[in-house]
């Protein structure tokens, strides 16, 4: 067997073809070195090459062993489950939407969302690594533009109407990816840099927050917590300090203090502004902050009340009178502020008398178009933000057990997702994937809490299952990136040298 | 020898050599032969699955650089976690060695 036949046999065993040139080159150089030594000992070049090939050992066995450590990691079941969940979310949206146009609109995002996911799975991580600097610049430019818009808004020079809050929301969430990238994009990773990156990121969130406080409150919280969680993950994996091990007690102390200070800044910045503190107050004590039936705090209180009456199986059972009391808000406002109770349209025989009653009201009262004869459960449930309340609606209609099973399904999916992330070995890949996982998990946790009557600022979406537009595209990118980082983890050794502290080095 | 201990021994020796300086595959084989007075003569190709395995564990990283001879080589560097792994392997080896010595030396039957 000559050298080329040996190399062919080795690479035939390696399933990931882009690795072939690298492995061929390395083995070929080895054999050339060995052959040169044999030639120096007096063997002919043909004989030397033959001996060098023989010294290498069994080509098939070498190829099989290399393939065992360097292969693509596929997750077909989890990828299939992700797409199945996405399209069940599409079905849920179609069920919850009221207009056919909205259903069609939804499809416009679900199908491309699946495409974004698959494209990211197959090409996301290698492309991200190759173009990490332009990507970081683009994210930075978007955030810079946001800051500029904010300044112009504050100065009264522009007014923005109609810009989707999702644009702000997901720009800020995506910015969280800059956090691990900034720590790995530089040669030396130290606790001081972690502290500076934490301070910078917390400041960025605080600066963006006033752009759209109601919507960005939860985005700031999720992004900050994702950054803090990623920092803890990196520290736990020994990826944060320069040496991986702090040698002296003093060094350990400084490392610990800077780390805790960074985490403290990221977590603490969610309580700094009055708007954020108000958000926490609404979250913890919605009943103290209800002004009218239009408030989200009212929805929180209504959800808690209805949940307390829902049995384990079979759904909530209410009389028509009770349903009307909940539907109009009478159950809550009768003793507090009767002016907030919705008018029942059918109580008025004609348009004129209804108009009079409505205008006589000092507040912007709600109107209900059902009455005790035709009211159904679906009329009174909090659903005015399409499918913000998927889980609570499920519990009200079918009981606690189906609702908890649904939550278990979501929990199981995240367990599988994070177990994949835990298996990623490359430092940058695992940190970015963990950050993506936390961004998705953060949205899910806030969504679930909101469904149990604990709403912090605006509702985030429930990734995969909740309706959305920009959210579907961005969340599918986050998910795809996790799978991509996992997929290329064992074959992308050539990416790591860019981020290691040992280099540059010259022989 | 038990296969596990052969693998343990080889990767431990490789890490030990890389602890001193970054090396390329052929250089590792040669150094191993020289320092062991020709006792350790591996089938040379078997070194590469070990190096790639260590790289995937994050114990070593590779860098392509031109050697003093002018040829382009793939150098392997030990990482902080590789140093930690080396310490663990040395300890495991010592335990194994002590157990072998005890049996051979008859300590167990004293």
């Amino acid at each position: 067997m000559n050298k080329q036949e040996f190399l062919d046999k080795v690479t035939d065993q390696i399933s990931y073809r882009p690795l072939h040139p690298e492995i061929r080159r390395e083995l070929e150089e080895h054999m050339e070195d060995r052959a040169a030594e044999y030639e120096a000992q007096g063997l002919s070049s043909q004989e030397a090459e033959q001996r060098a090939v023989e010294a290498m050992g069994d080509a098939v066995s070498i190829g099989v062993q290399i393939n065992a450590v360097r292969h693509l990691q596929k997750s077909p079941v989890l990828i299939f489950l992700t797409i199945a969940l996405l399209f069940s979310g599409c079905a849920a949206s179609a069920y919850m939407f009221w207009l056919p146009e909205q259903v069609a609109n939804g499809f416009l995002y679900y199908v491309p969302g699946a495409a974004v996911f698959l494209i990211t799975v197959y090409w996301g991580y290698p492309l991200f690594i190759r173009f990490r600097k332009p990507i970081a610049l683009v994210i930075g430019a978007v955030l810079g533009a946001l800051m500029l818009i904010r300044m112009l808004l504050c100065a009264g020079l522009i007014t923005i109407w109609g810009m989707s809050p999702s644009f702000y929301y997901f720009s800020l969430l995506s910015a969280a990816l800059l956090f691990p990238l900034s720590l790995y994009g530089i040669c030396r990773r130290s606790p001081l840099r972690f502290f500076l990156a934490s301070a910078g990121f917390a400041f960025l969130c605080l600066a963006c927050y006033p752009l759209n406080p109601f919507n960005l409150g939860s985005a700031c919280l999720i992004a900050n917590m994702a950054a803090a969680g990623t920092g803890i993950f990196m520290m736990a994996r020994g990826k944060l300090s320069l040496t991986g091990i702090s040698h002296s007690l003093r060094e350990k102390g400084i490392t610990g203090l800077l780390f805790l200070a960074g985490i403290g800044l990221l977590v603490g910045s969610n309580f700094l502004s009055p708007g954020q503190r108000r958000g926490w107050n609404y979250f913890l004590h919605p009943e103290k902050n209800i002004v009218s039936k239009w408030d989200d705090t009212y929805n929180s209180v209504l959800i808690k009340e209805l949940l307390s009456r829902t049995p384990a199986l079979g759904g909530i059972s209410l009389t028509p009178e009770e349903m009307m009391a909940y539907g109009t808000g009478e159950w809550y406002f009768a003793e507090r502020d009767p002016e907030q109770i919705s008018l029942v349209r059918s109580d008025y025989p004609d348009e004129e008398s209804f108009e009079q009653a409505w205008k006589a009201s000092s507040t912007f009262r709600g109107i209900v178009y059902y009455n005790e004869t035709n009211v159904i459960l679906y009329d009174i449930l909090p659903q005015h933000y399409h499918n913000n309340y998927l889980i609570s609606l499920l519990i009200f209609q079918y009981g606690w057990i189906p609702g908890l099973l649904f939550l278990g399904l979501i929990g199981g999916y995240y367990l599988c997702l994070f177990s994949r992330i835990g298996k990623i070995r490359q430092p940058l890949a695992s940190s970015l994937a963990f950050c993506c996982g936390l961004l998705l998990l953060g949205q899910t946790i806030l969504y679930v809490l909101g469904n149990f009557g604990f709403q912090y600022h605006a509702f985030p979406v429930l990734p995969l299952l909740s309706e959305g537009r920009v959210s579907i595209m961005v969340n599918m990118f986050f998910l795809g990136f996790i799978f991509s980082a996992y997929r290329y983890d064992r074959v992308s050794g050539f990416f790591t040298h860019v981020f290691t502290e040992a280099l540059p080095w010259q022989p | 020898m038990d296969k596990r201990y052969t693998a343990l021994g080889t990767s431990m020796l490789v890490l030990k050599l890389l602890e001193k300086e970054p090396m390329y595959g052929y250089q590792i084989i040669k150094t191993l032969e020289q320092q062991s007075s020709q006792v350790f003569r591996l089938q040379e190709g078997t070194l590469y699955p070990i190096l790639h395995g260590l790289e995937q564990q994050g114990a070593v990283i590779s860098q392509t650089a031109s050697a003093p001879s002018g040829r382009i080589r793939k150098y392997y560097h030990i990482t902080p976690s590789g140093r930690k792994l080396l310490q663990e392997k040395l300890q495991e080896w010592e335990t194994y060695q002590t157990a072998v010595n005890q049996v051979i030396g008859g300590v167990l039957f004293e």
Side-chain angles (χ1 to χ4, degrees), chain A residues 139-195:
Chain A
I139 298 177
V142 169
L143 289 167
L146 282 178
M147 307 286 263
L148 184 68
I149 290 170
R150 191 214 155 185
M151 282 193 281
L152 294 173
L153 278 170
C154 290
L157 294 173
I158 55 165
T159 321
I160 297 179
W161 290 105
M163 186 185 276
S164 165
S166 302
F167 174 74
Y168 298 122
Y169 198 97
F170 286 98
S171 297
L172 197 54
L173 286 199
S174 306
L177 294 179
L178 286 179
F179 186 74
L181 201 58
S182 69
L183 291 170
Y184 277 103
I186 44 188
C187 281
R188 284 169 174 249
R189 304 184 298 273
S190 69
L192 180 62
R193 284 182 194 268
F194 175 78
F195 174 75

Side-chain angles (χ1 to χ4, degrees), chain A residues 490-506:
Chain A
R490 301 290 165 93
V491 293
S492 58
F494 46 92
F495 295 139
T496 56
H497 72 274
V498 180
F499 304 102
T500 51
E501 66 274 7
L503 307 176
W505 170 88
Q506 284 301 315

Side-chain angles (χ1 to χ4, degrees), chain A residues 26 30 32-34 37, chain B residues 26 44 48 71 73 76:
Chain A
E26 188 175 30
H30 183 113
E32 281 172 5
D33 279 334
R34 181 57 91 187
E37 194 184 309
Chain B
Y26 183 70
E44 296 174 15
Y48 292 93
R71 293 183 70 164
R73 310 277 194 198
Y76 291 89

Side-chain angles (χ1 to χ4, degrees), chain B residues 13-62:
Chain B
L13 292 173
V14 168
L15 286 172
K16 190 71 193 162
L17 293 182
L18 294 178
E19 195 187 26
K20 290 175 196 154
E21 59 171 329
M23 290 183 184
Y24 55 93
Y26 183 70
Q27 192 183 2
I28 293 171
I29 293 277
K30 286 294 291 175
T31 314
L32 211 54
E33 283 175 6
Q34 283 162 5
Q35 291 193 1
S36 69
S37 311
Q38 311 293 320
V39 171
F40 295 128
R41 296 200 66 156
L42 297 175
Q43 286 208 309
E44 296 174 15
T46 57
L47 173 71
Y48 292 93
I50 292 169
L51 282 172
H52 285 251
L54 288 171
E55 192 178 13
Q56 288 306 306
Q57 285 178 54
V60 301
I61 48 161
S62 60

Side-chain angles (χ1 to χ4, degrees), chain B residues 90-104:
Chain B
L90 285 170
Q91 212 161 10
E92 207 179 328
W93 183 258
E94 209 176 293
T95 310
Y96 174 76
Q97 201 182 17
T98 309
V100 171
N101 287 342
Q102 278 175 339
V103 175
I104 293 172

